[in-house]
């Protein structure tokens, strides 16, 4: 709004200068061409009347020369021009500015979650909170973004993130928790300000650098979430398990039940088959919870879905059976197994390289900046840099870049230079995951997914997210709204796309759950599926 006031002030100064100049010219012209002497103030009055078209009949009988009449015509045209210029340049924009939505600066929500600020990572957390019926409000210092969020039906307010007045306006003293996910320094300021307002408020902070976690706790944070480190470890683990028959990236509940995701490689035994043809269900007794085909989750893969090198199976069963299935997903073509190229040496890339080294895997780290741990300084999208880094001798590439567009482009380049090399990629926004699969990546995990799940697991009572670091979501949760009904009656898989893989009842784990299994009010269900499917289940079955 200050911009418009400056614009108006400059326009008024310009018009005033024009009026004063015209008054001097008119006084001089009347004396020179018409022989009429008048004061400067009389000339000024005439110019104002001429420019505003308020009338100037008193002097018209004195205009006998062509020069005087041309001067008056110029003044009249100038007045009309000023009117036409003022409308589009000042008047109309001012009306538009006045009519434009102003961002709200306070909320009356209670028992809510205050989130500072809105980022692409926030969408997953917001979806988790909405599914659990937990109210929330975003605080952001971008007024246009706040207006956009409000117009989309999302509670948001405008304000400076680390100011006490803003946190009071967000009704922080009546909130169940505050989440701050900005940057490490600003997060610390928000924590200190929030802690001054309330000693009981639960404060959750997201850190980029592990070294600052202790500072945030000292400032007053109750929970510190480190999604970048978790993401780096997960990507590294995926790189070390895709060519092995060993099950490492697995959640085990008992000898009879484990849940895992299996990446099917090109040239493996399963490629080209459908799930029914593979015999996974019938001959191996494994429950196929669902599968990702080029980034799209299908809860019940049918004969129209054929397994290829971009398929990821989400399965549950006994560990020995899953190990047998894992062996069928490994390529029959031998790759060099002791070398992984890591693109990017931020927190995610550095953690991935450390994890691989701890597992005895040789790495080569490529980054634009020369720093500790970087082997090749250069652009991972440059073919010459990839050749220097030994892309042809590498079994996998882990891309941990900060920009999704660069990651997608790097994937395309790598697939042209070394088509047989497996690509495991970090995405920042979930909406870019399908693009990375189409570009040729074999496995993609988004930072927003890991961050949102880790935060939701801290904030949502009666729901424990067991797999924040995988593409699938596995939760332990109560389901009071379906108590007294059988699984077949509720038909959760058809309605939500997720699968109940087990139930905890009276300290006993029940794994053989058929359609006739009746859910009790005190049961805790273990449910698996995609993020969207789990959110559908939580909305349907929980309070």
């Amino acid at each position: 709004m200050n911009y418009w006031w400056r614009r108006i002030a400059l326009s008024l100064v310009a018009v005033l200068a024009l009026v004063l100049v015209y008054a001097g010219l008119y006084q001089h012209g009347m004396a020179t061409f018409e022989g009429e002497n008048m004061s400067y103030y009389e000339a000024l009055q005439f110019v104002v009347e001429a420019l505003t078209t308020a009338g100037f009949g008193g002097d018209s009988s004195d205009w006998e020369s062509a020069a005087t009449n041309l001067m008056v015509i110029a003044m009249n045209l100038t007045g009309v021009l000023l009117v036409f210029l003022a409308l589009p340049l000042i008047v109309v924009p001012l009306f538009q500015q006045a009519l434009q939505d102003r961002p709200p600066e306070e909320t009356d929500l209670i028992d809510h979650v205050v989130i500072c600020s809105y980022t692409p990572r926030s969408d997953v957390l917001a979806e988790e909170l909405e599914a659990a019926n937990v109210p929330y409000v975003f605080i952001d210092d971008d007024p246009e973004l706040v207006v956009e969020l409000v117009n989309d039906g999302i509670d948001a307010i405008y304000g400076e993130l680390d100011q006490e007045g803003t946190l009071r306006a967000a009704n922080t003293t009546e909130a169940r928790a505050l989440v701050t996910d900005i940057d490490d320094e600003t997060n610390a300021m928000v924590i200190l300000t929030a802690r001054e307002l309330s000693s009981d408020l639960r404060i959750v902070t997201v850190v980029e650098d592990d070294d600052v976690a202790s500072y945030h706790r000292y400032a007053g944070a109750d929970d510190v979430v480190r999604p970048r480190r978790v993401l780096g470890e997960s990507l590294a683990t995926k790189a070390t398990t895709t060519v092995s028959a060993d099950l490492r990236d697995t959640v085990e509940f008992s000898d009879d039940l484990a849940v895992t995701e299996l990446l099917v490689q090109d040239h493996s035994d399963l490629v080209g088959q459908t799930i029914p043809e593979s015999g996974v269900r019938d001959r191996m007794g494994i429950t196929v919870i669902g599968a990702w085909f080029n980034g799209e989750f299908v809860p019940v893969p049918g004969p129209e879905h054929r397994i290829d090198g971009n398929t990821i199976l989400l399965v549950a069963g006994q560990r020995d059976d899953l190990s047998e299935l894992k062996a069928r997903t490994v390529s029959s073509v031998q790759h060099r197994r002791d070398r992984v190229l890591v693109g990017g040496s931020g927190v995610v890339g550095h953690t991935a390289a450390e994890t691989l080294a701890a597992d005895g895997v040789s790495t080569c780290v490529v980054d634009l900046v020369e720093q500790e741990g970087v082997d090749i300084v250069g652009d991972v999208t440059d073919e010459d840099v990839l050749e220097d880094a030994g892309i042809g001798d590498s079994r996998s590439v882990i891309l941990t870049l900060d920009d999704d567009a660069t990651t997608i482009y790097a994937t395309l380049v790598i697939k042209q230079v070394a088509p047989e090399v497996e690509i495991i990629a970090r995405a920042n926004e979930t909406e870019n995951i399908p693009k990375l699969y189409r570009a040729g990546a074999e496995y993609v995990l988004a930072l927003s997914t890991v961050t949102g799940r880790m935060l939701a697991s801290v904030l949502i009572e009666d729901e424990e997210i067991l797999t924040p670091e995988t593409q699938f979501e596995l939760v332990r949760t109560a389901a009071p709204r379906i108590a007294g009904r059988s699984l077949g009656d509720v038909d959760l898989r058809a309605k939500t796309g997720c699968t109940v893989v087990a139930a905890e009842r009276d300290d006993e784990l029940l794994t053989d759950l058929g359609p006739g299994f009746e859910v009790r009010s005190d049961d805790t269900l273990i449910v698996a599926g995609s993020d969207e499917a789990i959110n559908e289940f939580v909305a349907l079955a929980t309070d």
Side-chain angles (χ1 to χ4, degrees):
M1 197 63 180
N2 290 334
Y3 165 77
W4 286 109
W5 285 117
R6 288 196 301 270
R7 190 168 180 174
I8 291 172
L10 290 174
S11 300
L12 290 176
V13 170
V15 171
L16 177 61
L18 181 67
V19 170
L20 295 176
V21 170
Y22 271 179
L25 290 174
Y26 185 70
Q27 182 187 32
H28 178 73
M30 288 296 289
T32 302
F33 301 116
E34 307 297 344
E36 294 287 339
N37 293 316
M38 61 173 55
S39 68
Y40 183 80
Y41 295 106
E42 289 175 323
L44 184 64
Q45 177 185 357
F46 165 78
V47 172
V48 171
E49 290 176 345
L51 294 180
T52 60
T53 66
F56 43 76
D59 290 346
S60 59
S61 61
D62 298 328
W63 302 334
E64 296 181 359
S65 68
T68 301
N69 281 281
L70 288 173
M71 180 173 59
V72 172
I73 290 172
M75 290 182 185
N76 291 335
L77 291 176
T78 300
V80 174
L81 181 63
L82 287 175
V83 172
F84 279 103
L85 285 176
L87 282 174
L89 295 181
I90 297 177
V91 178
V92 173
L94 277 177
F95 272 107
Q96 292 176 337
Q97 185 77 13
L99 293 174
Q100 187 180 30
D101 293 336
R102 295 184 61 82
E105 298 182 5
E106 61 181 3
T107 183
D108 56 0
L109 289 175
I110 60 173
D111 195 29
H112 58 301
V113 176
V114 178
I115 307 174
C116 311
S117 63
Y118 182 84
T119 69
R121 298 184 297 275
S122 306
D123 290 335
V124 175
L125 173 60
E127 291 170 359
E128 297 276 359
L129 293 174
E130 288 174 6
N133 201 28
V134 176
Y136 62 90
V137 62
F138 285 106
I139 303 176
D140 204 278
D141 56 6
D142 183 345
E144 293 183 359
L145 174 60
V146 172
V147 169
E148 183 180 340
L149 291 173
V150 172
N151 289 339
D152 289 338
I154 298 173
D155 284 312
I157 66 171
Y158 166 73
E160 295 298 325
L161 298 161
D162 58 352
Q163 297 299 308
E164 182 176 328
T166 301
L167 296 184
R168 287 190 183 277
N171 212 14
T172 303
T173 56
E174 300 295 326
R176 67 168 64 186
L178 177 142
V179 174
T180 180
D181 183 12
I182 312 164
D183 59 69
D184 288 343
E185 292 183 1
T186 308
N187 286 346
M189 295 293 293
V190 173
I191 294 167
L192 289 169
T193 305
R195 187 54 72 208
E196 288 179 5
L197 287 179
S198 173
S199 59
D200 300 325
L201 175 68
R202 186 173 192 179
I203 300 177
V204 185
T205 178
V206 178
V207 299
E208 298 179 17
D209 187 348
D210 281 355
D211 294 337
V212 307
S214 60
Y215 306 144
H216 284 199
R217 288 194 180 277
Y218 183 76
D222 298 291
D223 301 279
V224 178
V225 175
R226 304 175 178 86
R228 286 170 177 79
R229 183 165 186 82
V230 171
L231 178 58
E233 292 172 348
S234 177
L235 295 177
T237 300
K238 189 60 61 179
T240 59
T241 58
T242 51
V243 297
S244 170
D246 296 332
L247 287 174
R248 296 183 57 195
D249 201 4
T250 304
V251 181
E252 294 190 53
F253 297 96
S254 69
D255 293 338
D256 295 328
L257 179 64
V259 179
T260 190
E261 58 181 359
L262 302 176
L263 169 61
V264 180
Q265 294 187 320
D266 278 327
H267 311 294
S268 69
D269 176 58
L270 294 177
V271 169
Q273 302 183 58
T274 65
I275 298 296
E277 291 171 350
S278 69
V280 173
R281 292 192 186 114
D282 299 332
R283 295 195 303 272
M284 304 184 69
I286 292 174
T287 300
V288 179
I289 299 169
W292 280 268
F293 296 91
N294 295 311
E296 181 182 355
F297 183 73
V298 178
V300 187
E304 70 277 15
H305 298 100
R306 291 202 171 271
I307 300 171
D308 60 22
N310 277 338
T311 300
I312 300 172
L313 301 177
L314 178 55
V315 292
Q318 293 185 358
R319 183 178 180 86
D320 291 344
D321 294 332
L322 294 179
S323 295
E324 181 183 347
L325 177 61
K326 179 69 169 67
R328 297 181 61 190
T329 66
V330 178
S331 173
S332 58
V333 178
Q334 294 298 315
H335 294 284
R336 188 179 296 271
R337 297 189 175 187
D338 59 350
R339 195 170 193 276
V340 175
L341 193 154
V342 179
S345 187
V347 176
V348 178
H350 184 71
T351 303
E354 279 187 340
T355 305
L356 290 168
D359 287 337
V361 178
S362 174
T363 63
C364 178
V365 180
V366 180
D367 196 90
L368 291 171
V369 180
E370 184 176 359
Q371 55 184 311
E372 184 180 354
V374 174
D375 302 299
I376 300 290
V377 178
D379 190 343
V380 75
T381 65
D382 188 320
E383 292 187 18
D384 293 334
V385 172
L386 291 173
E387 294 291 349
D388 292 341
I391 185 69
D393 296 326
S394 300
R395 179 240 303 159
S396 300
V397 175
I398 300 179
L399 295 175
T400 65
L401 309 174
D402 288 332
D403 181 69
D404 284 353
T406 306
T407 303
I408 293 170
Y409 184 65
T411 302
L412 293 170
V413 173
I414 292 168
K415 281 302 178 184
Q416 290 296 314
V417 175
E420 296 299 322
V421 172
E422 174 186 73
I423 298 177
I424 298 170
R426 158 200 173 172
N428 290 302
E429 302 181 34
T430 55
E431 64 183 25
N432 290 323
I433 291 177
K435 299 175 186 176
L436 279 162
Y437 278 116
R438 287 196 294 271
E442 276 74 27
Y443 186 85
V444 185
L445 187 60
L447 177 62
S448 56
T449 298
V450 176
T451 305
R453 288 180 184 171
M454 293 180 72
L455 289 172
S457 188
V458 172
L459 297 170
I460 300 175
E461 299 177 0
D462 300 326
E463 179 181 324
E464 179 185 3
I465 299 177
L466 303 173
T467 54
E469 75 289 354
T470 61
Q471 199 172 51
F472 71 94
E473 187 169 0
L474 187 67
V475 300
R476 179 186 282 114
T477 180
R481 294 179 64 181
I482 62 173
R485 302 175 63 186
S486 68
L487 294 179
D489 180 40
V490 178
D491 199 10
L492 290 173
R493 195 161 191 178
K495 291 180 179 178
T496 67
C498 64
T499 300
V500 179
V501 297
E504 295 175 347
R505 175 182 294 172
D506 299 330
D507 297 327
E508 183 181 0
L509 182 68
L510 307 176
T511 59
D512 187 14
L513 307 183
F517 178 80
E518 184 176 303
V519 179
R520 296 180 184 175
S521 58
D522 59 346
D523 285 346
T524 299
L525 303 183
I526 298 171
V527 188
S530 66
D531 289 279
E532 294 79 7
I534 293 297
N535 288 338
E536 290 283 346
F537 171 82
V538 171
L540 175 70
T542 65
D543 289 331

